[in-house]
Amino acid sequence: CRQLFCSLSGTSRASRPILKRAHPWDGDTPVKAKQQRRLAGTPSEEASLEPVERLQHSRSAQHEEIKSLLDSDDQNLIGDFSKAHLLPTVEGKDPGLKYISPDTLVAVLTGQWSSFIQSSIIVDCRYPYEYEGGHIKGAVNLPLQWDVEQFLLEQPIVPLDSSRRVIIIFHCEFSAHRGPKMCRFLREKDRSCHEYPQLHYPELYVLKGGYRDFFLQYPAHCEPQDYRPMEHGAFQEELRQFRCQSR
């Protein structure tokens, strides 16, 4: 048997190429070699992963590009991101809203933007006794959220010509609280009616300084030509009632 084993071993060594065995100090133990093979993977496995990785990288790059475009416009796009705001804006209290000056509102009222605007709605968010004491000509009095929702969202105003716009301008006495709050309310309600970023009213503005500043500069565009403040002494009961309804 020993001779037979030696004979077979000699034949095997003659017919096969000699493979150099690594020395123990090379550091390649069977366990470590197996780990290295597992980490390296086979060429077919690597080839199958490359298209997936390239696709993921491409999608990530596209996402970053879109985000960069939206961030780079300094928030100058209207709510559905379809175009830039039409009216020139001024700095206001709430950086998330677009404010216009009384001068710009007069330009809208006198038709200077008529070739671009199909309909402009001025929403007076003051309480009725304030509105009755003097308001901007053509403004609608919508002091409560329910009023805004019913007037603007139950039957939305749709532009007949896609090149012309429907704009809404909010204000209250000073445009410090009620007007901006109502503007944000309409945008939130409008968003909830659509798939993002579509909107019925993508272009909203707030009149900076409110009715008080507008009346002081342009009383001829108000009717009656007067100004009744919210804290008027003769209307304290009406003020209390409307404050309760607004909460």
Side-chain angles (χ1 to χ4, degrees), residues 85-100:
H85 283 83
L86 175 66
L87 303 181
T89 58
V90 294
E91 186 177 353
K93 182 179 179 180
D94 189 334
L97 302 176
K98 294 297 181 182
Y99 291 78
I100 62 171

Side-chain angles (χ1 to χ4, degrees), residues 180-198:
K181 181 180 179 180
M182 200 69 78
C183 182
R184 290 191 298 269
F185 169 78
L186 176 61
R187 174 54 52 83
E188 291 170 3
K189 276 292 182 180
D190 203 355
R191 283 274 187 228
S192 68
C193 299
H194 297 85
E195 182 178 349
Y196 185 87
Q198 298 175 359

Side-chain angles (χ1 to χ4, degrees), residues 84-141:
H85 283 83
L86 175 66
L87 303 181
T89 58
V90 294
E91 186 177 353
K93 182 179 179 180
D94 189 334
L97 302 176
K98 294 297 181 182
Y99 291 78
I100 62 171
S101 67
D103 296 340
T104 299
L105 179 52
V106 169
V108 172
L109 292 173
T110 55
Q112 296 181 34
W113 297 90
S114 59
S115 58
F116 303 97
I117 298 175
Q118 175 181 301
S119 179
S120 58
I121 304 164
I122 304 170
V123 177
D124 190 331
C125 302
R126 296 177 301 156
Y127 302 136
Y129 65 88
E130 299 174 83
Y131 177 85
E132 293 164 3
H135 58 267
I136 299 170
K137 290 180 179 179
V140 292
N141 187 211

Side-chain angles (χ1 to χ4, degrees), residues 12 15 33 38 49 54 58 62 78 95 99 117-118 128 140 145 148 156 164 175 203 208 211 225 227 229 234 243:
S12 176
S15 61
R38 187 184 296 117
L49 289 175
R54 285 197 298 268
S58 175
Q62 291 175 356
I78 61 177
Y99 291 78
I117 298 175
Q118 175 181 301
V140 292
Q145 292 181 351
V148 169
R164 301 179 70 193
S175 288
E203 195 156 359
K208 186 174 182 179
Y211 180 76
Q225 293 185 20
Y227 163 43
R243 277 182 169 171

Side-chain angles (χ1 to χ4, degrees), residues 54-69:
R54 285 197 298 268
L55 179 59
Q56 291 175 344
H57 178 74
S58 175
R59 288 176 177 173
S60 177
Q62 291 175 356
H63 176 76
E64 290 300 323
E65 183 180 359
I66 293 172
K67 185 176 183 298
S68 176
L69 288 172

Side-chain angles (χ1 to χ4, degrees), residues 2 4 6 11 25 75 78 93 96 103-104 115 119 123 133 135 150 162 165 170 172 193 217 221 227:
R2 185 176 301 168
L4 179 60
C6 292
T11 305
W25 53 79
Q75 296 183 338
I78 61 177
K93 182 179 179 180
D103 296 340
T104 299
S115 58
S119 179
V123 177
H135 58 267
Q150 185 179 36
S162 60
R165 312 187 188 203
F170 292 85
C172 53
C193 299
Q217 297 179 48
H221 287 279
Y227 163 43

